[in-house]
Amino acid sequence: MDSASNREIILDSLKRFAIKPEGPVKSELVKTKIDDLDALYESFAQGVTAAGGTVHRVKDMKEALEALDTILKELEVSTVVISEDKMIKLVGIKDYLKGKDIKILAISKDPARHKKTCFSADAGITGADYALADTGTIMIYHGKDNARLISLAPPTHIAFVEADKLLPDIDTLIAEIKPSNKSMPSAMTLITGPSLTADIALQPTFGMHGPKNLYVIFI
Amino acid sequence: MNLQTERFKEIARENLANEEQRKILSQFSLILKALRDSSFAALPDENAALEKGRKIREDSVKNMPYLLETFEENATKAGANVVWASDARQANDFIVSLAKEKGANLCVKAKSMISEEIGLREELTDGGIETYETDLGEFIVQQAGKTPFHIVGPAINMTIKEISNLFNKTIGVPKTEDPTELAISARMFLRDKFKNAQIGISGANMAVAETGSIILVENEGNIRFATSVPKTHIVLMSIEKVVPTMSDATHMLKLLTRSCTGQRISNYVSVITGPKKAGEIDGPEELYIVILDNGRTKIYSDEVLRGALQCIKCGMCAAVCPVYTHVGGYAYGWVYSGPIGAVLNPLLLGLDRARDLYHATTLCGACKDYCPAGVDVRNIALDLRAKEMDGDKSFNASNPPVGLKRLYRIWTWVLLHHSRYKIASRLMRIIMLPAIKYGKISRLPGRLSGWTQCRDIPQLPPKSFHEIYSELKK
Ligand code: SF4
């Protein structure tokens, strides 16, 4: 197959009939304006819960760790895999868990070992980069310090997000991150609730391929 | 995929007779529509949002070649290999030989209509590469050796029992009546495939020119796996998937998930820009983006028909279509079903091979009212019918039946002039008389019987509006 000549043929035949639009599509959409954190949080929590996840709102890092402890105990988690992003360090999760009865599976730089770790852990713990109030969504920039499988392969995903990262909706998110070719990470994931399917007789089932449980600890 | 577009009437009749399936279909459609309506109502201004979406898709299609160029440039900058394919053969050959080159023997696939269109899974399998559909519905359908029943719920026509028997036979798990257990069996089975696959294949819900990103929408997480674990990720997308900016894309996203399943957002949305970067542990080492034409540039050359390329494959039009909700997805005989399938299948295959499809519409226009992408299926179907009558062979229209053509000519001649119309309607009143019983005609003779098979023709009133009007004026 000659990709270059295909390219030429396809683009040329399209260009014969293409029409340049006047400019970007402008919108006169009504914006929901909520500035008040409590109202935003209310909506966020409602969204997460509606999608089958659970939110804990905590005052500070100390409470965040306590919330984590409760979740891990409740689910009888014995092994965890933890990302290495800023949020995780900020909360001091690793140090906290060291004194507990929980095994932290070390992150391997070797893809095969990493895969094994993530496929076998009971829970994956990560930070989230943003949260969206109107849908109850968290957003994760995947990269060096937040590998993709940590929030995907274990049956439970626990995510930490700070209050000042809570935005009203996806439009505000786009305005905030100003996406460009340079700024985009290799993968960015919007997560709303745990993995879901309704493909068998329309019965909703969580944990189809991804996590069965999603916990958001909102600081 | 098995092509059965020429058997529309036959399959439609078969499926109409399947009471159980019709019940499932109409319930499912009602649920989808209700979910859709309530999720749209939650938008601050649903009509403005719809209008904006339609404009975005219209402009994206108008400007397609330039957007594709920008997309290619940015995707390449991000490290992707962009490849252009003219038809199904080329795309299949490229992907199969790429997989072989990588020494692959196992491939995991995300749900993608375009890969069904070109029969990619079969080609990979024939090429010795074990390939699995990983979306639960598609996985069931693949195991059963069937074709998807519905765009959103490929296997919703199968009962729990059928699926249980199937899994028992094909993947060797104990029978159960619990859907969760069945889902877990599939999860375990596919986990193993995700772990070992060397190739992951996905489609693209959207391609963003501004950033060179691919957007993938799902609920299960299988797409995240297929695009994160294997060393090579291949995206197969048709040319019309491109939109200008990320904010256009996220606007369409809002409309897409709402129209597809009534969700305000799907559980997972992945925005993928290039392969993994230096220092990242997971993610594909290589990302190939295959941009496929497969007959679309030809559709693009026609001003009316190109509207079909605005479609974002949400499936909403099917849920509100009086034809689809009765005959079901199988009747459309190929990858695309429902109103959009009724025009897209003929356009991609040739009108002569799918003639019944664009004739099987009531022209009610519900599809257009609900379409978030501004596709006017009714108008396109009418245009295809006109092409057939006019003998326009650009899309391989078959010759219309001679009698029908003559009939239309007379019809046009009558309608074009007021006095002819008046005489004709007076004549009709008299001609109809002998056939009328209880104020209507319930059965027409011979070849006209089709008209009265499912409906009555009411008796013309003794006086037309015009006659009454002129009498009153005196
Ligand atoms: S034609 Fe419109 S409603 Fe139908 S599938 Fe395409 S985008 Fe959805």
Side-chain angles (χ1 to χ4, degrees), chain B residues 311-317 340 371-373 375:
Chain B
C311 173
I312 55 170
K313 309 284 161 11
C314 69
M316 190 61 221
C317 52
I340 188 64
C371 178
V375 182

Side-chain angles (χ1 to χ4, degrees), chain A residues 1-32 43 46-47 50-52 84 107-112 114-116 118-120 132-137 140 142-155 157 169-171 173-175 177 179-212, chain B residues 28 31 44-45 48-49 52 55-56 59 62-66 68-69 72-75 77-78 82-86 90-91 94 134-138 140 152-156 158-160 163 167 179-180 182-183 186-187 190-191 194-197 210-213 219-222 224-225 227-229 239 246-248 250-251 253-254 258 263-285 291-293 296-297 300-302 306:
Chain A
M1 181 183 75
D2 184 354
S3 172
S5 92
N6 288 339
R7 176 185 191 274
E8 205 116 305
I9 295 168
I10 293 171
L11 290 177
D12 281 353
S13 49
L14 290 177
K15 279 178 189 171
R16 264 191 287 151
F17 301 98
I19 304 159
K20 282 231 165 186
E22 305 90 60
V25 177
K26 293 201 189 66
S27 71
E28 275 103 65
L29 295 190
V30 191
K31 292 256 155 41
T32 20
S43 160
Q46 221 173 44
E84 295 176 315
I107 292 194
S108 168
K109 290 280 168 222
D110 170 54
H114 169 70
K115 214 188 309 182
K116 228 172 163 184
C118 293
F119 274 64
S120 66
L132 308 180
D134 76 330
T135 47
T137 303
I140 297 180
H142 294 293
K144 261 191 240 176
D145 53 11
N146 204 341
R148 305 180 191 195
L149 286 178
I150 300 174
S151 58
L152 178 62
H157 175 206
D169 54 23
I170 200 163
D171 297 318
L173 173 73
I174 298 302
I177 65 176
S180 75
N181 177 255
K182 284 216 181 71
S183 71
M184 289 304 284
S186 66
M188 166 181 130
T189 311
L190 297 162
I191 299 174
T192 313
S195 155
L196 173 74
T197 188
D199 276 347
I200 298 180
L202 287 183
Q203 308 253 14
T205 304
F206 290 114
M208 182 51 225
H209 288 293
K212 199 170 109 192
Chain B
F28 188 48
I31 295 171
D45 182 345
K52 185 181 176 193
K55 188 84 176 71
I56 289 173
D59 281 4
K62 275 186 182 164
N63 201 22
M64 199 192 301
Y66 302 99
L68 283 170
E69 280 176 340
E72 180 189 34
E73 193 189 320
N74 284 321
K77 266 194 216 155
V82 178
V83 173
W84 300 73
S86 292
Q90 287 187 352
F94 173 79
T134 56
D135 171 83
L136 178 61
E138 296 270 328
I140 296 170
V152 180
I156 45 142
M158 289 176 76
T159 61
I160 297 180
I163 297 169
F167 279 9
T180 311
L182 286 170
R187 172 186 166 111
L190 288 169
R191 274 272 158 141
F194 285 131
K195 211 185 284 178
N196 297 306
E210 174 183 55
T211 57
S213 311
N219 287 323
E220 295 183 2
N222 59 313
R224 289 180 66 195
F225 272 112
T227 59
S228 296
V229 188
I239 53 173
M246 193 61 79
S247 95
D248 292 329
T250 50
H251 184 79
L253 177 71
K254 287 188 219 168
R258 280 180 166 84
Q263 289 170 288
R264 289 196 282 172
I265 188 166
S266 61
N267 293 47
Y268 300 125
V269 177
S270 302
V271 182
I272 292 172
T273 317
K276 73 171 178 185
K277 295 200 164 73
E280 288 179 25
I281 316 166
D282 49 21
E285 280 164 20
I291 303 180
L292 174 63
D293 178 354
R296 287 165 176 79
T297 46
Y300 194 76
S301 67
D302 186 298
R306 73 158 64 164

Side-chain angles (χ1 to χ4, degrees), chain B residues 55 165 168 175 182 201 211 241 272 302 340 348 443 446:
Chain B
K55 188 84 176 71
N165 287 338
N168 179 261
K175 291 185 187 178
L182 286 170
I201 295 183
T211 57
K241 291 289 170 187
I272 292 172
D302 186 298
I340 188 64
L348 292 169
R443 197 177 295 158

Side-chain angles (χ1 to χ4, degrees), chain A residues 42-208:
Chain A
E42 241 355 278
S43 160
F44 173 71
Q46 221 173 44
V48 177
T49 316
T54 311
V55 202
H56 292 274
R57 188 178 186 180
V58 296
K59 269 208 310 284
D60 51 28
M61 302 304 167
K62 190 172 154 277
E63 274 189 19
L65 289 169
E66 283 162 16
L68 174 66
D69 199 44
T70 319
I71 296 166
L72 294 177
K73 280 214 181 92
E74 200 181 282
L75 296 173
E76 295 173 17
V77 166
S78 56
T79 54
V80 295
V81 54
I82 306 174
S83 68
E84 295 176 315
D85 56 85
K86 269 191 286 180
M87 199 58 219
I88 293 295
K89 288 181 184 147
L90 201 66
V91 187
I93 292 168
K94 284 194 181 163
D95 289 337
Y96 177 75
L97 287 182
K98 265 178 199 149
K100 306 265 160 192
D101 211 8
I102 281 165
K103 193 165 170 220
I104 303 176
L105 305 176
I107 292 194
S108 168
K109 290 280 168 222
D110 170 54
R113 293 256 301 276
H114 169 70
K115 214 188 309 182
K116 228 172 163 184
T117 310
C118 293
F119 274 64
S120 66
D122 292 339
I125 304 175
T126 71
D129 296 278
Y130 287 100
L132 308 180
D134 76 330
T135 47
T137 303
I138 54 170
M139 190 272 251
I140 297 180
Y141 274 129
H142 294 293
K144 261 191 240 176
D145 53 11
N146 204 341
R148 305 180 191 195
L149 286 178
I150 300 174
S151 58
L152 178 62
T156 297
H157 175 206
I158 304 165
F160 290 84
V161 65
E162 271 183 300
D164 61 352
K165 296 295 167 144
L166 179 61
L167 304 173
D169 54 23
I170 200 163
D171 297 318
T172 11
L173 173 73
I174 298 302
E176 168 96 11
I177 65 176
K178 297 189 189 63
S180 75
N181 177 255
K182 284 216 181 71
S183 71
M184 289 304 284
S186 66
M188 166 181 130
T189 311
L190 297 162
I191 299 174
T192 313
S195 155
L196 173 74
T197 188
D199 276 347
I200 298 180
L202 287 183
Q203 308 253 14
T205 304
F206 290 114
M208 182 51 225

Side-chain angles (χ1 to χ4, degrees), chain B residues 385-397:
Chain B
R385 294 181 191 182
K387 282 203 163 43
E388 191 181 304
M389 279 302 150
D390 293 342
D392 177 343
K393 297 286 178 213
S394 51
F395 284 87
N396 291 351

